[in-house]
Amino acid sequence: MTNQVAEQEEAKQIINNEKELAKKLYRLRKLKEEQVIEDERYQREIAESNEWYKPSKAKRTNQIDDVTALIEDYYQRRYAEDPYYRYKDRNGTVSKKTSTDYDYNDEELINSLPDELLKTTAKKAELKKLFQSEKVDGRKKIITDNDGHPITEDGEIIKGVVVKEKTEVTIKTTK
Protein backbone atom coordinates (compact mmCIF):
# COMPACT_ATOMS: atom_id res chain seq x y z
CA MET A 1 0.00 0.00 0.00
CA THR A 2 2.78 2.43 0.84
CA ASN A 3 4.52 1.59 -2.41
CA GLN A 4 1.43 2.59 -4.41
CA VAL A 5 1.09 5.82 -2.43
CA ALA A 6 4.77 6.62 -3.01
CA GLU A 7 4.36 5.97 -6.75
CA GLN A 8 1.31 8.22 -6.92
CA GLU A 9 3.15 11.01 -5.07
CA GLU A 10 6.15 10.62 -7.39
CA ALA A 11 3.91 10.93 -10.41
CA LYS A 12 2.41 14.20 -9.08
CA GLN A 13 5.70 15.78 -8.00
CA ILE A 14 7.73 18.29 -9.91
CA ILE A 15 11.41 19.05 -9.44
CA ASN A 16 12.02 22.55 -8.15
CA ASN A 17 15.76 22.59 -7.43
CA GLU A 18 19.03 20.71 -7.93
CA LYS A 19 18.82 18.95 -4.58
CA GLU A 20 15.52 17.32 -5.62
CA LEU A 21 17.04 16.56 -9.02
CA ALA A 22 19.96 14.74 -7.33
CA LYS A 23 17.48 12.70 -5.26
CA LYS A 24 15.50 11.75 -8.35
CA LEU A 25 18.66 10.74 -10.21
CA TYR A 26 19.64 8.58 -7.23
CA ARG A 27 16.13 7.06 -7.20
CA LEU A 28 16.35 6.35 -10.95
CA ARG A 29 19.76 4.68 -10.56
CA LYS A 30 18.45 2.45 -7.75
CA LEU A 31 15.33 1.52 -9.75
CA LYS A 32 17.50 0.52 -12.71
CA GLU A 33 19.73 -1.58 -10.42
CA GLU A 34 16.63 -3.31 -9.00
CA GLN A 35 15.43 -3.97 -12.52
CA VAL A 36 18.75 -5.57 -13.53
CA ILE A 37 18.65 -7.84 -10.46
CA GLU A 38 15.03 -8.76 -11.20
CA ASP A 39 15.83 -9.51 -14.86
CA GLU A 40 18.77 -11.74 -13.88
CA ARG A 41 16.59 -13.65 -11.41
CA TYR A 42 13.89 -14.02 -14.05
CA GLN A 43 16.36 -15.39 -16.63
CA ARG A 44 17.83 -17.79 -14.06
CA GLU A 45 14.38 -19.09 -13.13
CA ILE A 46 13.44 -19.52 -16.80
CA ALA A 47 16.66 -21.47 -17.46
CA GLU A 48 16.06 -23.69 -14.41
CA SER A 49 12.48 -24.28 -15.49
CA ASN A 50 13.56 -25.22 -19.03
CA GLU A 51 16.18 -27.65 -17.70
CA TRP A 52 13.55 -29.26 -15.48
CA TYR A 53 11.12 -29.50 -18.41
CA LYS A 54 13.49 -30.91 -21.08
CA PRO A 55 13.62 -34.57 -19.94
CA SER A 56 9.86 -34.92 -19.61
CA LYS A 57 9.31 -33.19 -22.96
CA ALA A 58 11.83 -35.49 -24.69
CA LYS A 59 10.20 -38.56 -23.12
CA ARG A 60 6.72 -37.42 -24.18
CA THR A 61 7.93 -36.63 -27.71
CA ASN A 62 9.31 -40.17 -28.01
CA GLN A 63 6.02 -41.60 -26.75
CA ILE A 64 4.06 -39.50 -29.26
CA ASP A 65 6.31 -40.73 -32.08
CA ASP A 66 5.83 -44.35 -30.98
CA VAL A 67 2.03 -44.08 -30.82
CA THR A 68 1.93 -42.27 -34.17
CA ALA A 69 4.02 -45.06 -35.75
CA LEU A 70 1.63 -47.68 -34.36
CA ILE A 71 -1.40 -45.83 -35.73
CA GLU A 72 0.25 -45.38 -39.15
CA ASP A 73 1.20 -49.09 -39.27
CA TYR A 74 -2.36 -50.16 -38.43
CA TYR A 75 -3.79 -47.76 -41.01
CA GLN A 76 -1.40 -49.00 -43.73
CA ARG A 77 -2.45 -52.61 -43.06
CA ARG A 78 -6.15 -51.73 -43.17
CA TYR A 79 -5.63 -49.57 -46.28
CA ALA A 80 -3.99 -52.52 -48.06
CA GLU A 81 -7.19 -54.50 -47.43
CA ASP A 82 -9.62 -51.67 -48.24
CA PRO A 83 -8.42 -48.66 -50.31
CA TYR A 84 -11.38 -46.59 -49.06
CA TYR A 85 -10.62 -47.17 -45.38
CA ARG A 86 -10.92 -44.16 -43.09
CA TYR A 87 -11.37 -44.04 -39.32
CA LYS A 88 -13.29 -41.39 -37.41
CA ASP A 89 -14.59 -41.25 -33.83
CA ARG A 90 -14.84 -38.81 -30.95
CA ASN A 91 -11.08 -38.99 -30.27
CA GLY A 92 -9.97 -38.12 -33.80
CA THR A 93 -9.60 -39.23 -37.39
CA VAL A 94 -7.09 -41.26 -39.39
CA SER A 95 -7.08 -40.96 -43.16
CA LYS A 96 -4.71 -40.63 -46.08
CA LYS A 97 -3.61 -37.75 -48.23
CA THR A 98 -2.19 -38.44 -51.66
CA SER A 99 -0.13 -35.81 -53.43
CA THR A 100 1.79 -35.66 -56.68
CA ASP A 101 5.33 -34.29 -56.82
CA TYR A 102 7.07 -33.31 -60.04
CA ASP A 103 10.87 -33.42 -60.36
CA TYR A 104 12.05 -31.33 -63.28
CA ASN A 105 15.36 -31.64 -65.09
CA ASP A 106 15.26 -28.45 -67.15
CA GLU A 107 18.11 -29.33 -69.50
CA GLU A 108 16.68 -32.76 -70.34
CA LEU A 109 13.19 -31.28 -70.59
CA ILE A 110 14.26 -28.74 -73.22
CA ASN A 111 16.03 -31.44 -75.22
CA SER A 112 13.12 -33.89 -75.13
CA LEU A 113 10.23 -31.54 -75.94
CA PRO A 114 9.37 -30.92 -79.59
CA ASP A 115 9.83 -27.34 -80.81
CA GLU A 116 6.09 -26.63 -81.12
CA LEU A 117 5.54 -27.64 -77.46
CA LEU A 118 8.48 -25.51 -76.31
CA LYS A 119 6.90 -22.45 -77.89
CA THR A 120 3.42 -23.05 -76.46
CA THR A 121 4.36 -24.24 -72.97
CA ALA A 122 6.74 -21.70 -71.50
CA LYS A 123 5.58 -22.42 -67.94
CA LYS A 124 5.65 -25.72 -66.07
CA ALA A 125 2.01 -25.32 -65.03
CA GLU A 126 1.01 -25.23 -68.70
CA LEU A 127 3.11 -28.34 -69.33
CA LYS A 128 1.19 -30.26 -66.64
CA LYS A 129 -2.03 -29.65 -68.59
CA LEU A 130 -0.63 -31.69 -71.49
CA PHE A 131 -0.07 -34.83 -69.39
CA GLN A 132 -2.48 -37.68 -70.01
CA SER A 133 -4.52 -38.47 -66.89
CA GLU A 134 -7.28 -40.71 -65.66
CA LYS A 135 -9.69 -40.66 -62.75
CA VAL A 136 -8.72 -43.08 -59.99
CA ASP A 137 -10.76 -43.11 -56.78
CA GLY A 138 -12.28 -39.76 -57.71
CA ARG A 139 -8.85 -38.20 -58.13
CA LYS A 140 -6.96 -37.19 -61.24
CA LYS A 141 -3.89 -39.37 -61.69
CA ILE A 142 -1.14 -38.73 -64.25
CA ILE A 143 -0.36 -41.69 -66.52
CA THR A 144 3.37 -42.48 -66.53
CA ASP A 145 5.75 -45.01 -68.01
CA ASN A 146 7.69 -47.48 -65.81
CA ASP A 147 10.32 -44.85 -64.93
CA GLY A 148 7.74 -42.28 -63.77
CA HIS A 149 7.94 -40.05 -66.87
CA PRO A 150 4.54 -38.60 -67.82
CA ILE A 151 2.88 -39.36 -71.13
CA THR A 152 1.21 -36.59 -73.13
CA GLU A 153 -2.20 -36.82 -74.81
CA ASP A 154 -0.34 -37.54 -78.07
CA GLY A 155 1.42 -40.54 -76.53
CA GLU A 156 4.85 -38.91 -76.24
CA ILE A 157 6.97 -39.60 -73.15
CA ILE A 158 8.42 -36.48 -71.53
CA LYS A 159 11.89 -37.41 -70.27
CA GLY A 160 12.65 -34.20 -68.33
CA VAL A 161 9.94 -34.75 -65.72
CA VAL A 162 9.52 -37.49 -63.13
CA VAL A 163 6.11 -37.84 -61.46
CA LYS A 164 6.05 -39.23 -57.92
CA GLU A 165 2.85 -40.15 -56.10
CA LYS A 166 3.16 -39.75 -52.36
CA THR A 167 0.65 -41.05 -49.83
CA GLU A 168 0.76 -39.75 -46.27
CA VAL A 169 -1.25 -40.93 -43.29
CA THR A 170 -3.04 -37.99 -41.67
CA ILE A 171 -3.77 -38.28 -37.94
CA LYS A 172 -5.91 -35.60 -36.33
CA THR A 173 -6.94 -35.79 -32.69
CA THR A 174 -9.80 -33.81 -31.21
CA LYS A 175 -8.99 -31.14 -28.72
Side-chain angles (χ1 to χ4, degrees):
M1 185 82 165
T2 58
N3 214 6
Q4 289 176 344
V5 172
E7 287 175 7
Q8 288 176 351
E9 288 180 10
E10 265 184 26
K12 293 179 184 177
Q13 290 180 352
I14 59 170
I15 298 173
N16 293 322
N17 55 38
E18 288 180 355
K19 186 176 181 181
E20 290 177 4
L21 177 63
K23 288 180 181 179
K24 294 301 175 193
L25 284 172
Y26 175 78
R27 173 91 172 119
L28 180 62
R29 182 174 58 109
K30 289 298 179 182
L31 287 171
K32 287 184 177 181
E33 289 173 4
E34 288 176 13
Q35 188 63 47
V36 167
I37 292 169
E38 190 75 19
D39 289 344
E40 289 172 356
R41 189 179 83 200
Y42 172 75
Q43 291 300 325
R44 189 173 49 251
E45 288 176 359
I46 293 293
E48 289 172 0
S49 176
N50 284 339
E51 288 303 315
W52 172 82
Y53 180 66
K54 279 181 184 178
S56 64
K57 183 177 181 181
K59 180 180 175 186
R60 196 169 304 107
T61 301
N62 288 338
Q63 291 173 341
I64 288 171
D65 292 343
D66 292 343
V67 171
T68 301
L70 289 172
I71 292 170
E72 286 178 358
D73 178 58
Y74 177 77
Y75 182 83
Q76 293 289 352
R77 287 185 282 129
R78 288 297 304 265
Y79 179 72
E81 296 169 8
D82 177 15
Y84 297 103
Y85 180 72
R86 181 172 185 238
Y87 181 79
K88 182 176 183 176
D89 76 354
R90 64 187 180 108
N91 293 317
T93 61
V94 182
S95 59
K96 71 171 175 66
K97 178 183 178 189
T98 305
S99 61
T100 306
D101 291 337
Y102 300 92
D103 291 334
Y104 293 96
N105 181 344
D106 292 333
E107 189 175 307
E108 190 177 352
L109 185 63
I110 290 171
N111 292 335
S112 68
L113 282 177
D115 290 335
E116 63 273 0
L117 280 180
L118 275 175
K119 291 176 186 174
T120 59
T121 58
K123 296 180 182 172
K124 292 176 182 174
E126 293 171 2
L127 182 64
K128 290 179 190 177
K129 294 176 185 175
L130 299 176
F131 298 160
Q132 187 177 0
S133 63
E134 63 184 0
K135 285 267 188 183
V136 177
D137 297 334
R139 186 174 177 275
K140 183 178 171 183
K141 183 177 178 179
I142 305 295
I143 297 175
T144 61
D145 65 355
N146 293 336
D147 296 328
H149 300 295
I151 301 173
T152 64
E153 297 290 338
D154 300 333
E156 292 184 40
I157 297 174
I158 306 209
K159 296 284 187 187
V161 181
V162 177
V163 178
K164 295 180 182 176
E165 292 284 328
K166 184 170 65 171
T167 302
E168 295 177 5
V169 175
T170 304
I171 302 170
K172 294 181 183 175
T173 57
T174 55
K175 299 207 180 202

